Amino acid sequence: MADIEMEEDHPRLILHNFLTEDECKELEFIHKSCSTIGYRPNVFSTTLSHLIATNSAHLIIPFLPIRDRLKEKVEETFGCEYELVTEFTGLISWSRGASIGWHSDDNRPYLKQRDFTAVCYLNSYGKDFEGGLFHFQDGEPKTIAPMVRDAVIYTADGRNTHSVDEVTSGERLTLTLWFSRDSSHDEDAKLILLLEENVLHKSNNVPWSLLPLPASDNMYWFTPHQTSNQDIGFDIRLGRLHALGFDVYYYRDMNFGSDLSEILMEPMQLARQDQLLDHKFVNVLHSLQIGEYDNLYDEQVAQFYFWEGCKSQAFTNEVQSGKAVRLSRSQSEKITQVNSVFLKDTKLVETVLQSAGQCHFNLATFSAAITEWEDYSCKLHKEILLSLPQWRAHQAIYSVKFDM
């Protein structure tokens, strides 16, 4: 990890290759399968509290070691060992049209608790997106071209006023954290309470207890200027599935004149071109998690199937049971009806969300991805149950220290 030397008047540090490729890929999967509309136009976000609220608390596990490494690096760099708490952790992506002008990260009265910022880049300028360059107003380096695995840390005050150019294509993805000396803004205290409410009551580490539950529909409705107009825009869950080359088919009779939020909670199947995939999903968010998992991990899933999965006859049978049938006319009409309601503008979808729909699709590895996703979710759920008591005890020690 090659670090660029820090300027005294504009305290900042560039950390090359701070994250691993696997860490970046895992966080990208989490964001693309769980994100909601963000705080600015053309921005999407995934917060840890949102993951807990949507029955995906196990997905916070990959964040924890990264948060610890970043906090240690910030404390070491700025000479404030054992003084900081993590105020916020979130995944933020900027799609075409997103930008932000000159500002500091503590530029509002309700943000004054922020002392330091860390931004980790999960994809690369010039490869995954265009535009989106990061600029500091003063000092060096003046401009940062985001590169996957790199991170930048800096003080959140006016010494590091910065801006981000408009993204012109693709999706610029970051992990962003803020750190504070004020223990009353400790994110961990809030997360532990949420976890105790939402996780500990589960008695079985089984796949069906880990299925995602969507938030309110307005958190997923994208319009170019964040208007509330349901006549334009699209639902980002169906939009991301469309970008992967999938359509949504509801096999039950749907009343599109009723509450649309109820429809998206219904069981459904995925279709691809003129084929209907056999597997039934609990809801559209469930299918999106599988679709994104398959898209980002297709090579690993294929390796698991051919080299590891074949050792298990039960697993082999499950993979081979993956089926697809040709869509009937009535099924195609149902899909068209769903798209007319939830994908008002497919051209807008393809402009905002980078399309992966033309990439190779393998039914066998998609079926393997379903099993792999279930194993992955169960593994993380067990980890969070084991780590929660330690996390609670660690946070309690910090609270005592800050109160002294």
Side-chain angles (χ1 to χ4, degrees):
M1 178 170 29
D3 300 348
I4 294 178
E5 189 173 349
M6 183 169 66
E7 274 194 19
E8 187 173 338
D9 292 337
H10 306 285
R12 67 186 66 139
L13 192 65
I14 313 301
L15 308 170
H16 292 300
N17 300 322
F18 183 81
L19 300 180
T20 67
E21 288 187 13
D22 284 345
E23 286 173 328
C24 293
K25 181 174 283 192
E26 187 167 22
L27 294 179
E28 181 181 358
F29 153 69
I30 292 170
H31 180 68
K32 288 188 173 180
S33 63
C34 301
S35 62
T36 61
I37 300 303
Y39 61 103
R40 299 178 64 81
N42 305 305
V43 169
F44 305 102
S45 69
T46 305
T47 65
L48 302 192
S49 58
H50 172 75
L51 291 175
I52 297 171
T54 54
N55 208 42
S56 299
H58 51 286
L59 294 179
I60 73 173
I61 285 292
F63 292 85
L64 302 184
I66 298 172
R67 288 196 332 154
D68 289 343
R69 293 196 334 253
L70 280 168
K71 186 159 79 71
E72 288 173 7
K73 191 65 179 177
V74 169
E75 290 178 330
E76 172 195 326
T77 300
F78 297 106
C80 49
E81 286 85 350
Y82 308 109
E83 293 182 15
L84 301 181
V85 296
T86 304
E87 189 250 1
F88 173 87
T89 307
L91 297 167
I92 303 172
S93 66
W94 304 54
S95 65
R96 181 176 176 177
S99 67
I100 189 169
W102 296 114
H103 69 285
S104 64
D105 288 338
D106 69 346
N107 66 344
R108 296 286 187 274
Y110 56 86
L111 301 178
K112 289 300 181 184
Q113 73 277 1
R114 293 178 177 173
D115 292 302
F116 302 99
T117 303
V119 178
C120 301
Y121 296 112
L122 306 183
N123 59 4
S124 295
Y125 167 80
K127 178 185 176 184
D128 302 299
F129 60 90
E130 297 291 343
L133 292 175
F134 183 102
H135 303 285
F136 284 110
Q137 195 169 50
D138 302 294
E140 295 294 336
K142 202 120 191 171
T143 297
I144 297 174
M147 296 298 293
V148 67
R149 301 180 59 191
D150 287 357
V152 55
I153 57 178
Y154 52 91
T155 59
D157 56 20
R159 291 176 291 175
N160 281 302
T161 297
H162 56 279
S163 66
V164 177
D165 288 347
E166 181 176 328
V167 175
T168 56
S169 67
E171 191 172 0
R172 177 187 188 271
L173 179 57
T174 63
L175 169 66
T176 300
L177 298 93
W178 284 290
F179 301 100
S180 176
R181 291 188 174 93
D182 185 346
S183 64
S184 68
H185 291 277
D186 186 358
E187 180 181 47
D188 285 8
K190 302 167 190 173
L191 294 176
I192 288 169
L193 287 175
L194 289 172
L195 285 168
E196 289 174 338
E197 293 173 4
N198 290 274
V199 175
L200 292 184
H201 71 276
K202 292 179 180 176
S203 58
N204 298 310
N205 299 327
V206 291
W208 50 88
S209 71
L210 304 175
L211 296 172
L213 297 173
S216 61
D217 278 1
N218 61 355
M219 296 181 70
Y220 299 103
W221 191 258
F222 177 90
T223 57
H225 306 291
Q226 285 191 327
T227 65
S228 58
N229 189 349
Q230 295 289 313
D231 293 328
I232 59 174
F234 60 90
D235 184 281
I236 62 173
R237 293 163 294 184
L238 276 76
R240 289 202 183 275
L241 286 169
H242 178 83
L244 292 171
F246 294 111
D247 287 308
V248 169
Y249 170 71
Y250 288 99
Y251 48 88
R252 296 178 181 173
D253 289 332
M254 297 287 111
N255 178 9
F256 289 94
S258 61
D259 185 356
L260 297 181
S261 62
E262 296 296 323
I263 294 174
L264 293 177
M265 291 292 292
E266 289 290 325
M268 39 72 65
Q269 292 171 257
L270 291 176
R272 191 175 182 89
Q273 298 176 348
D274 63 347
Q275 300 290 309
L276 180 66
L277 308 189
D278 184 62
H279 190 83
K280 293 180 173 63
F281 298 94
V282 171
N283 56 52
V284 70
L285 199 58
H286 178 212
S287 70
L288 178 58
Q289 288 195 3
I290 301 295
E292 290 291 356
Y293 191 94
D294 176 62
N295 181 53
L296 288 173
Y297 291 92
D298 57 347
E299 183 178 348
Q300 294 175 347
V301 169
Q303 290 172 352
F304 179 87
Y305 168 55
F306 288 113
W307 298 333
E308 298 292 336
C310 289
K311 297 175 184 177
S312 165
Q313 188 60 45
F315 181 84
T316 303
N317 291 340
E318 183 165 353
V319 170
Q320 291 175 345
S321 69
K323 299 174 185 176
V325 297
R326 187 174 295 277
L327 283 166
S328 68
R329 178 179 294 181
S330 63
Q331 289 170 334
S332 296
E333 289 172 352
K334 272 191 172 184
I335 289 172
T336 299
Q337 188 177 18
V338 169
N339 288 344
S340 70
V341 174
F342 297 108
L343 297 177
K344 302 283 188 182
D345 188 342
T346 55
K347 288 185 178 179
L348 180 63
V349 174
E350 291 155 10
T351 298
V352 172
L353 302 176
Q354 192 169 16
S355 176
Q358 300 304 314
C359 66
H360 176 69
F361 174 75
N362 184 291
L363 183 57
T365 56
F366 183 82
S367 299
I370 296 171
T371 299
E372 273 284 270
W373 174 85
E374 291 173 351
D375 292 343
Y376 168 80
S377 298
C378 284
K379 173 179 173 289
L380 293 186
H381 186 62
K382 290 176 182 176
E383 286 185 35
I384 205 166
L385 289 175
L386 290 172
S387 63
L388 186 54
Q390 297 173 351
W391 195 6
R392 189 193 300 112
H394 181 75
Q395 197 273 333
I397 292 171
Y398 255 65
S399 296
V400 170
K401 180 183 77 67
F402 275 104
D403 288 341
M404 292 176 63

